[in-house]
Structures are given as structure tokens and as C-alpha cells.
């Protein structure tokens, strides 16, 4: 009987028309028969790639266009003047980036638990998890409000010049409303992605982006509301995104099984979920803040305005690339968490290999584009010849970072899908802050390298972190990860049953 099923699978793989119709269960059984002949691997890769791109294509659009909201705002403020660009950049990196790192990190717990719940067909738990996440995010937003309001003195305490800190505070205060939009939007988007609802998210993100470009142009150029107007417009656009995402969840038939309405259950059993959320936040925050910390440090160099502008422009392009890879990583996270929840360790492992190979090929192309168009890329932000020259000098290092981004975010996405956030947090702390950051400071301030020295420190930290994640992923026992996912879902189900008994 088993041989008959195996030959049926071979027939499915032998016909391209049948490949899309094969289920994860069938592929799991096929991979269980070892060794798998070499001639089957291209078709297996084709099967996995199709599923990956169905998810990642829209996820990449969502990630990029959400990031482009801030990107476009900085482009408009850059044409107000070098000082305004420096102030907006330092606030965007040091203050807004801090909040976004926390929100995005906390939301990765939604990817883990909701993704595994969806794979295990425990649909009713997903809406409760999303609501629980929003409650924790809003609590974090209240605390972050103080950081935004007093951002001026904080930036001065970090060593930034008074003029740059003042402009940064104006921009940051205009973004206070955005924190609360982050707090609601991040969990909602991860909740939708976990159940493979990505195309509607992409359409909504693109629509809001188009509106944002028009509004920012109107506010900055036509109405002349300057830096504060640009920041308030950015906050408004994020709230517009929250509204359209929320309406989709409430009204769409696609969410009727996973969204059963608002419930007090979201407040129960919040502590175990908070621990995973905290580990998730620390993991991604250490990663995001590392890049942002290097921008802040560059403001302490001898010519802070040129240093800040040049590294901020390069970092924006690196972040643009990272958003593309984060979209791919989100898809990888969903694929891995779904397969682990469904009890398919071999398919989960195979998905990891396919997504990493795909991302490396894409990164080679992106690195080549950076090197070819290095002058033109800087002119999108500024017409200052000194800044353009400084950016051109940094582009080889930017190309190296872009290549490394083809591996590192994907492995982080796998970690999120598997629930390894706490382990990766320790890895990030060691490779970034104990090794990479001190090396960058020494090269930046004690040698003639300046900004380039700071960037070399970042490259070394990311390289070490990437190598560590490769080793961790390579040594993973995927059958054990399936058991961990099952235990996590049993614990969540026990909490739901406990709530039901208490209510009756």
C-alpha cells in the first residue's frame, strides 16, 4: 500500500500540470522516502517556489510600500534643506525607528503563534491572539509617547548638535499619533499574513501609499507646512492603513473563521504570550537598533551634517532592500510555521533551503544595481555635491551589506516561524553589540575611515550573526520543532478551555 502511494506521488511529480495540486502531506510523504533521486529536486523546488512566491510576492509589496511611506516623507523633507533632512533622518532613525523596531518585534510573536495555529487548523484562537497582541502593543505605545515628546533633550544627550536635535524634535512630535497606528497595524497585518491573506493587504498598502504621496506633496510644497506638516501627514497615512486593514478583518468572509468578534479572553493568559512577545521584541529590536545606532554615532563625527546625510541616504537604500527581504522573510516565516503546525518537519526544512537560495540570487542582482547607479541614487535625495561624493564612497560597502541581507533576514524569518526568538536575541546581542559596534567605533573614530569605518563594524556584526544563524539552522532537529509547536498550541488551547470553564 505504501509503495502504491509512493508511485502515485511520483506520477504527480512527473507531470508539471499535477505539481500545483500536490498537498504538503503528499510532499512530506515523498521526502520521507530516502534517498530522493536528483531528477525530482527541480520539480520539488518548483512546487515550493510557487507556494513561496504566492505568499512573498504580496508580502514584499506590503513591506516595501509600508516602508516607502517614511521613505517618501524623507525625500520631501530633504528638499527643504540639509538641516531639515538631518533632523528628520535622526528622528526617523533614532526615535521612529526605535518604536517601529519594538512594534515589529512584538508582532513577530503573532507570526509564530497564529502561523502555527493556522497550520494546525485551530482557527478560533487566531483572533484572540491578534487582540491580545494589540493590547500589549498599545501599552508599549503609551510608554513610547514620552520618548517622542522629549526627543530633543534625548538627542542632545546622545551627542547630537542642538540645531539637528531641535529639527528632530519637531519631526518626532508630529509622529506621536503614528505610534498608536503601529500598535494596531503590526498585529493585524501579521494576523492576516499567517492565514495567507496577502493580496488584499498588498492592494491596501499600495492604495494608501498613493494617497500619502499626493498628501505629502500638497502639505509640504503647496501649503508650506514644512517639517511638522510632513510628519503629521505620515501619521495620518498610517491611521488610514489601520482603518482599511480593520474594515477588511471585520467585514471580509475570508476572516469569518478566525475573527469571531472582540472578546475578554484576550486579557486572559496574557503573561505566557507576553514572554514570547518580549523575546520577539528584543530579538528584532537588537537587530534594527544596531543599524540605527550606527547612524546616531555618525552624527558624532567631525562633520556631522555631511556624515549624517550620507549614511542616512545609504541606510535608506539598505532599509529599502531589507523591506524586500523582510517580505520574503515573512513568507518564509508563514511557510515554516504553517508546516510545523501541520506536523510536516521535512517540508519545513525544505522550504528553508528554497527561500535562502532564492534570496541569495536576488541579492546579487540588487548589489549590482547599487554599484552601477551609485551617483544617481544619491541625487534622488540631495543636490549637495559633498553629500553625493560621500554617498558614492560608501556604495561598495552598501553593496556588501545588500548581499548579506539576502541571507540574514530570511534566517530570522525562519527563527520567527519556529519560535526561536529568545535564542536569536542572545546571538544578536553578542555579534552586534559586543563585537560589531565596538569595532565600528574604533574604525570610525580612531582611524581615517570615518563613516566607512562605522559601516565596516556593521558588516562584521551582520556577517558573524549570519554565520551563527546558518549553524543553528543547519543543526536544527525539525521533528523536535514540530513537537514544540504542538506543545505551544496545546498550551494555548488549555488557556481557552480554562476561560470557557471559568465563564460557565
Amino acid at each position: 500500500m505504501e509503495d502504491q502511494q509512493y508511485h502515485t506521488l511520483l506520477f504527480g511529480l512527473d507531470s508539471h500540470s499535477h505539481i500545483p495540486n500536490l498537498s504538503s502531506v503528499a510532499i512530506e510523504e515523498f521526502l520521507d522516502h530516502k534517498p530522493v533521486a536528483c531528477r525530482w529536486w527541480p520539480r520539488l523546488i518548483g512546487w515550493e517556489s510557487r507556494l513561496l512566491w504566492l505568499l512573498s510576492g504580496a508580502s514584499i509589496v506590503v513591506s516595501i510600500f509600508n516602508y516607502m511611506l517614511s521613505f517618501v516623507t524623507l525625500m520631501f523633507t530633504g528638499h527643504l534643506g540639509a538641516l531639515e533632512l538631518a533632523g528628520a533622518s535622526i528622528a526617523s532613525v533614532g526615535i521612529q525607528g526605535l518604536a517601529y523596531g519594538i512594534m515589529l518585534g512584538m508582532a513577530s510573536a503573532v507570526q509564530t503563534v497564529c502561523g502555527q495555529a493556522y497550520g494546525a487548523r485551530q482557527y478560533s484562537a487566531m483572533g484572540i491572539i491578534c487582540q491580545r497582541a494589540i493590547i500589549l502593543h498599545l501599552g508599549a505605545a503609551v510608554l513610547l509617547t514620552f520618548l517622542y515628546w522629549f526627543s530633543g533633550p534625548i538627542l542632545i544627550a546622545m551627542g547630537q548638535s542642538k540645531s539637528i536635535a531641535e529639527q528632530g524634535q519637531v519631526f518626532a512630535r508630529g509622529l506621536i499619533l503614528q505610534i498608536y497606528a503601529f500598535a494596531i497595524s503590526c498585529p493585524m497585518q501579521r494576523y492576516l499574513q499567517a492565514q495567507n491573506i496577502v493580496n488584499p493587504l498588498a492592494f491596501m498598502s499600495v492604495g494608501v501609499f498613493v494617497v500619502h504621496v499626493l498628501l505629502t506633496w500638497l502639505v509640504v510644497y503647496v501649503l508650506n507646512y514644512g517639517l511638522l506638516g510632513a510628519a503629521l501627514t505620515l501619521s495620518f497615512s498610517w491611521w488610514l492603513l489601520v482603518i482599511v486593514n480593520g474594515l477588511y478583518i471585520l467585514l471580509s468572509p475570508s476572516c469569518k473563521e478566525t475573527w469571531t468578534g472582540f472578546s475578554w479572553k484576550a486579557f486572559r493568559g496574557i503573561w505566557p504570550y507576553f514572554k514570547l512577545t518580549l523575546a520577539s521584541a528584543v530579538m528584532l529590536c537588537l537587530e534594527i537598533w544596531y543599524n540605527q545606532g550606527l547612524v546616531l554615532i555618525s552624527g558624532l563625527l567631525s562633520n556631522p551634517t555631511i556624515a549624517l546625510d550620507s549614511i542616512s541616504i545609504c541606510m535608506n537604500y539598505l532599509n529599502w532592500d531589507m523591506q524586500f527581504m523582510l517580505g520574503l522573510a515573512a513568507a518564509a516565516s508563514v511557510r515554516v510555521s504553517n508546516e510545523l503546525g501541520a506536523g510536516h518537519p521535512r517540508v519545513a526544512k525544505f522550504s528553508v533551503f528554497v527561500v535562502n537560495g532564492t534570496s541569495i540570487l536576488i541579492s546579487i542582482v540588487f548589489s549590482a544595481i547599487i554599484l552601477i547607479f551609485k551617483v544617481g541614487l544619491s541625487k534622488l535625495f540631495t543636490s549637495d555635491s559633498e553629500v553625493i561624493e560621500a554617498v558614492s564612497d560608501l556604495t561598495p560597502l552598501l553593496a556588501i551589506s545588500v548581499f548579506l541581507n539576502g541571507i540574514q533576514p530570511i534566517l530570522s524569518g525562519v527563527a520567527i516561524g519556529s519560535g526561536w526568538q529568545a535564542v536569536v536575541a542572545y546571538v544578536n546581542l553578542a555579534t552586534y553589540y559586543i563585537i560589531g559596534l565596538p569595532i565600528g567605533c574604533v574604525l570610525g573614530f580612531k582611524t581615517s575611515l570615518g563613516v566607512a569605518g562605522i559601516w565596516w563594524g556593521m558588516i562584521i556584526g551582520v556577517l558573524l550573526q549570519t554565520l551563527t544563524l546558518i549553524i543553528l539552522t543547519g543543526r536544527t532537529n525539525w521533528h523536535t520543532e514540530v513537537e514544540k509547536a504542538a506543545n505551544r498550541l496545546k498550551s494555548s488551547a488549555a488557556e481557552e478551555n480554562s476561560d470557557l470553564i471559568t465563564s460557565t
Side-chain angles (χ1 to χ4, degrees), residues 68-88:
M68 286 288 283
L69 295 176
S70 295
F71 187 84
V72 163
T73 299
L74 284 180
M75 286 180 66
F76 276 102
T77 57
H79 291 282
L80 292 173
L83 183 61
E84 285 82 357
L85 175 59

Side-chain angles (χ1 to χ4, degrees), residues 282 286-287 424-436 465:
V282 171
L286 288 176
E287 200 167 294
V424 180
Y426 287 114
V427 173
N428 290 350
L429 180 64
T431 57
Y432 289 164
Y433 294 90
I434 297 177
I435 300 174
Q465 190 245 23

